[in-house]
Amino acid sequence: MSSPSKRRDMDVMKLMMSDYVVETINDGINEFNVEFHGPKESLYEGGLWKIRVELPDAYPYKSPSIGFMNKIYHPNVDELSGSVCLDVINQSWSPMFDLLNVFEVFLPQLLLYPNPSDPLNGDAASLMMKDPKQYEQKVKEYCERYAKKTDATREDSDEELSDDDVCDDQSASSDEDDDVAGHADP
């Protein structure tokens, strides 16, 4: 590719032409939402999440910001902000990866193989290690309650995700983060 902008355009188009529902924000190509289905044979199977993607100007040399807009119970996803703790996105991103990798490989692997030793959601990590049956029940409860078509397609705030919401940042989330993640209890 001759420039990051051409690569960004190509990657977004590949994602749009795939089986994913992609909804651009403010008619731009740098911010969009993607409907993501829980992987088959996982606790998240049958769930549908809206994933917010923000591409930095330096994409693909700098990783995209990825966050769940509707709630998910997972050790490596912050329950309030939806931020994802995923090394391949946060620390070891490479321009060899593209957006399809994020949705076809990285996020499914995150849901299939949670890492409770590097949590963003300490409660989920603790429950997963101490009481796996109760953890499974809580994951399924969240899927039933927050990960249906209506949850993934409702209008949410266009507030930006914070670049500071990565694995090592476990500061308290603000009310603005609640709006970003689309978390309003019914």
Side-chain angles (χ1 to χ4, degrees), residues 61-64 84-95 97 106 115 118 120 163-169:
Y61 302 105
K62 187 169 188 251
S63 67
V84 175
C85 183
L86 188 58
D87 284 346
V88 75
I89 293 176
N90 296 326
Q91 283 99 23
S92 59
W93 178 263
S94 164
F97 303 136
F106 305 149
N115 179 5
D118 188 18
L120 278 177
D163 288 336
D164 298 330
D165 288 335
V166 294
C167 301
D168 297 327
D169 181 18

Side-chain angles (χ1 to χ4, degrees), residues 20 22 29 32 61 78 89 137 143 149 157 160 168 173:
Y20 296 99
V22 178
I29 200 162
F32 49 92
Y61 302 105
D78 184 272
I89 293 176
Q137 182 180 343
C143 287
K149 183 78 171 166
S157 169
E160 290 188 21
D168 297 327
S173 296

Side-chain angles (χ1 to χ4, degrees), residues 58-120:
Y59 177 87
Y61 302 105
K62 187 169 188 251
S63 67
S65 294
I66 306 291
F68 285 81
M69 301 287 288
N70 43 326
K71 281 188 179 185
I72 184 169
Y73 195 74
H74 190 284
N76 309 112
V77 179
D78 184 272
E79 188 172 354
L80 294 176
S81 71
S83 297
V84 175
C85 183
L86 188 58
D87 284 346
V88 75
I89 293 176
N90 296 326
Q91 283 99 23
S92 59
W93 178 263
S94 164
M96 293 185 332
F97 303 136
D98 65 18
L99 294 171
L100 280 175
N101 291 126
V102 171
F103 290 96
E104 292 182 351
V105 179
F106 305 149
L107 286 177
Q109 285 183 352
L110 177 76
L111 297 187
L112 284 164
Y113 309 107
N115 179 5
S117 63
D118 188 18
L120 278 177

Side-chain angles (χ1 to χ4, degrees), residues 43-44 73 134-143:
L43 296 175
Y44 302 92
Y73 195 74
Q134 191 175 353
Y135 168 79
E136 287 180 21
Q137 182 180 343
K138 190 139 186 178
V139 166
K140 290 177 182 178
E141 175 187 314
Y142 269 57
C143 287

Side-chain angles (χ1 to χ4, degrees), residues 118-135:
D118 188 18
L120 278 177
N121 182 336
D123 291 339
S126 177
L127 189 60
M128 182 183 182
M129 290 188 289
K130 291 179 182 170
D131 190 346
K133 291 273 188 216
Q134 191 175 353
Y135 168 79

